Amino acid sequence: MYNFHFISSLFYETLFTFPFPSFNNLNFNPNFNFMGLRFSSFLSNSTVSSGPTLGELPESCVASIIAYMDPPQICQLATLNRAFRAASSADFVWESKLPPNYHLLLAKIFQDFPINLGKRDIYTSLCRLNSLDGGTKKVWVDKGTGKLCLAISSSKGLSITGVDDRRYWNYIITEESRFSTVAYLQHTWWFEVDGEIDFPFPAGTYSLFFRIHLGRAYKRFGRRVCNTEHVHGWDKKPVQFQLWTSDGQYVASQCFLKEPGNWTFYHAGDFTVEDGNSSTKVKFSMTQIDCTHTKGGLCLDSAFIYPSEFKKSKAFLNCS
Amino acid sequence: MASSSSNLISLKTSDGTVFKVERALAKTMKTVQAIIEEADANIYMIPIHNVFSHHMDMIIDYYKLSVAGKSKEFSVEKLDNDELKDFLLAVHYLNMEDLFEVLTQAVADRLEKKSVGYVRKYFGIENDFTPEEYAAIRKKNDWAFKGDDIEPEEDEEKQEE
């Protein structure tokens, strides 16, 4: 917490240096420097204040005000002047923006995190697309909200039945994913994707999504083209989603996969984390194993875990 | 009459009004409290710069409400932006923690989601950056000026295994 005592000692110095109590007769510079902070004294005996501007507010005051704002606004205001820039780096401003269990997050994500890094730098580090588990997962804090997000790659992050059989599945390189490859399904009878994650999620409610694209996209002469000739079977029966947590939560749902040509987030279910001080284990699956029909022509990017409130606030999650 | 031996402290505002306040209220003003504690001699009256009688009125209102457990009822809505700024400066000067928190929250509420230009005008801030400094800080915080769906930056240092 910022220490206000230097302000009171500053006043004390002023008071006891000069004759007491007739302040209006003093000859001294009404603006002076103390510890690099400008301090203006207001020796007017008029009833209207002489128009002090908050432009001369000390850093501690500015920091106290901007601490109530969200990270984007704090960072915008850092461009106002030097005092705001300094205030916007104050530790206590960022302490409240960090996920409450950030110590656990740092330990899980980074091997050697420097211990004397300021809170703002910790926040910035957490907001990067951090790799986990050998690059098969990515975890980051959403810059604007301070909430944790996670992506699990279809390439070795998720467990796909039959993925090693090139008659059914292939990995294709793409720019349209946070990972460099996505899994492409030509056709199969048994469509099953399983995943699990063991991670210290901050307390809150999270939603799990699968990011899927019906059809295969590629670039031809710089333009995006989508080949949907192998897309089949998804309109016959819905896909089943299930989600389990280690503390006994369970949710199941189903829906039809649609909209060839577009990446779509399919909502698999929600789970709640009560206590961010321990690791939460989540298992989830997506299946379509009705063997009366084949299905195919599907690109599977990754599974995403986002804070549930993003369903409303983030347009890209136009949920199916 | 020495104020150290009575329960009332005399505070003289910048506009010359004398307020006799309870010791307990003076205690919430760390600036004033420091003076009382440091002074060996008896203090007749403590002048408080930057604080006007209308500020003291509000301070006393807040104090009465918080003693009654009703500090949440204290509102500065009726103050316009300049009056609020003035009051914040006065309370900051007096170093009154609780009321300072209330007022910084109130100022933050008024500035929430406002543009940088609005805040500059509200605070009367002059840009004291050199062009290089401004370019650097603007670049560092460029992400904050963009829209809603901010993509996280790639972690360039980490290698994918």
Side-chain angles (χ1 to χ4, degrees):
Chain A
M1 243 342 258
Y2 214 101
N3 190 331
F4 287 105
H5 287 130
F6 77 88
I7 298 276
S8 54
S9 62
L10 171 65
F11 173 89
Y12 165 65
E13 283 210 29
T14 321
L15 190 60
F16 287 88
T17 313
F18 302 102
F20 185 101
S22 53
F23 288 87
N24 296 333
N25 300 331
L26 296 173
N27 285 328
F28 74 108
N29 185 350
N31 294 300
F32 64 92
N33 261 287
F34 181 76
M35 285 168 61
L37 296 173
R38 280 208 294 149
F39 186 88
S40 306
S41 50
F42 303 92
L43 299 184
S44 160
N45 57 358
S46 66
T47 52
V48 174
S49 84
S50 51
T53 62
L54 285 186
E56 292 162 8
L57 258 191
E59 239 170 79
S60 58
C61 212
V62 173
S64 296
I65 295 170
I66 64 174
Y68 290 109
M69 297 173 178
D70 63 18
Q73 190 167 21
I74 295 172
C75 290
Q76 283 186 7
L77 298 185
T79 63
L80 277 171
N81 72 354
R82 288 176 179 160
F84 269 80
R85 180 182 62 183
S88 75
S89 301
D91 260 6
F92 87 87
V93 169
W94 290 95
E95 180 87 44
S96 63
K97 311 302 167 200
L98 287 165
N101 67 348
Y102 71 92
H103 291 109
L104 279 182
L105 297 178
L106 292 176
K108 181 85 179 179
I109 296 170
F110 301 102
Q111 273 73 52
D112 302 299
F113 200 80
I115 46 169
N116 53 0
L117 220 55
K119 300 286 190 291
R120 188 189 195 280
D121 291 329
I122 294 178
Y123 190 84
T124 307
S125 298
L126 287 174
C127 289
R128 304 183 81 92
L129 210 57
N130 298 299
S131 285
L132 212 57
D133 294 346
T136 60
K137 303 182 181 73
K138 297 219 188 249
V139 61
W140 69 98
V141 166
D142 177 61
K143 246 173 173 163
T145 58
K147 301 281 179 181
L148 191 108
C149 309
L150 209 132
I152 303 167
S153 169
S154 54
S155 165
K156 300 190 176 60
L158 297 172
S159 175
I160 303 174
T161 305
V163 78
D164 293 326
D165 190 330
R166 297 192 58 114
R167 291 173 296 171
Y168 306 136
W169 289 91
N170 280 296
Y171 285 110
I172 56 181
I173 296 175
T174 178
E175 292 165 353
E176 297 182 351
S177 165
R178 283 205 167 79
F179 304 94
S180 48
T181 57
V182 296
Y184 177 70
L185 170 70
Q186 261 125 231
H187 65 93
T188 188
W189 302 94
W190 189 286
F191 174 69
E192 179 170 352
V193 179
D194 298 301
E196 66 177 73
I197 175 87
D198 190 355
F199 192 82
F201 291 95
T205 304
Y206 296 86
S207 299
L208 184 106
F209 300 87
F210 287 95
R211 186 169 179 259
I212 288 169
H213 183 283
L214 292 182
R216 183 175 173 151
Y218 56 99
K219 283 240 168 88
R220 180 195 276 163
F221 309 123
R223 283 182 53 227
R224 186 184 192 268
V225 175
C226 186
N227 180 344
T228 56
E229 61 179 351
H230 294 128
V231 177
H232 68 283
W234 303 109
D235 48 347
K236 293 203 162 44
K237 292 271 169 70
V239 158
Q240 313 283 333
F241 298 105
Q242 291 184 89
L243 187 149
W244 305 259
T245 67
S246 46
D247 64 354
Q249 297 172 60
Y250 172 72
V251 65
S253 64
Q254 61 181 39
C255 86
F256 284 93
L257 302 187
K258 305 185 245 214
E259 284 189 82
N262 293 313
W263 283 106
T264 306
F265 286 87
Y266 288 92
H267 179 215
D270 292 349
F271 63 95
T272 301
V273 175
E274 300 288 338
D275 175 21
N277 290 322
S278 55
S279 208
T280 302
K281 200 168 187 170
V282 185
K283 283 190 181 181
F284 48 92
S285 78
M286 173 171 60
T287 55
Q288 200 348 288
I289 55 176
D290 181 323
C291 291
T292 60
H293 67 286
T294 68
K295 46 277 266 191
L298 173 146
C299 271
L300 173 62
D301 170 19
S302 22
F304 282 86
I305 296 179
Y306 283 117
S308 293
E309 53 260 42
F310 282 25
K311 283 186 288 189
K312 294 218 177 81
S313 58
K314 302 282 186 185
F316 65 85
L317 286 177
N318 49 338
C319 298
S320 286
Chain B
M1 111 193 90
S3 54
S4 59
S5 61
S6 80
N7 281 327
L8 296 178
I9 309 280
S10 293
L11 301 175
K12 184 171 176 183
T13 59
S14 283
D15 51 349
T17 315
V18 178
F19 286 82
K20 289 198 168 65
V21 301
E22 292 173 27
R23 221 170 239 286
L25 169 50
K27 267 204 155 119
T28 68
M29 305 174 181
K30 290 201 176 126
T31 310
V32 169
Q33 189 60 20
I35 297 164
I36 295 173
E37 283 168 6
E38 289 288 343
D40 291 328
N42 297 323
I43 298 180
Y44 294 107
M45 182 128 56
I46 298 170
I48 41 178
H49 301 303
N50 314 340
V51 185
F52 290 85
S53 32
H54 56 275
H55 296 145
M56 273 309 296
D57 289 334
M58 290 192 280
I59 288 170
I60 291 170
D61 276 348
Y62 177 77
Y63 176 71
K64 286 185 180 158
L65 282 171
S66 51
V67 158
K70 294 183 189 171
S71 49
K72 292 220 153 73
E73 289 181 21
F74 182 75
S75 161
V76 288
E77 265 175 40
K78 57 185 184 313
L79 298 180
D80 68 28
N81 285 343
D82 281 323
E83 291 166 340
L84 177 57
K85 285 190 292 186
D86 257 6
F87 189 30
L88 174 65
L89 279 171
V91 169
H92 179 259
Y93 179 89
L94 290 172
N95 201 348
M96 306 178 70
E97 246 177 72
D98 289 349
L99 186 49
F100 183 74
E101 247 182 67
V102 169
L103 296 184
T104 48
Q105 168 89 79
V107 171
D109 286 346
R110 293 194 188 194
L111 296 175
E112 196 189 348
K113 303 226 189 310
K114 293 287 198 295
S115 70
V116 173
Y118 183 95
V119 177
R120 186 184 286 290
K121 204 170 138 216
Y122 179 91
F123 281 107
I125 297 163
E126 279 181 26
N127 185 342
D128 60 358
F129 288 124
T130 66
E132 293 79 24
E133 283 177 338
Y134 180 77
I137 189 69
R138 183 64 170 82
K139 183 169 175 212
K140 182 175 176 188
N141 291 307
D142 202 40
W143 69 272
F145 291 89
K146 295 191 170 129
D148 251 331
D149 292 337
I150 299 148
E151 287 297 297
E153 289 159 28
E154 282 293 335
D155 193 359
E156 292 133 5
E157 287 149 28
K158 283 225 156 188
Q159 303 293 322
E160 298 228 27
E161 260 91 296

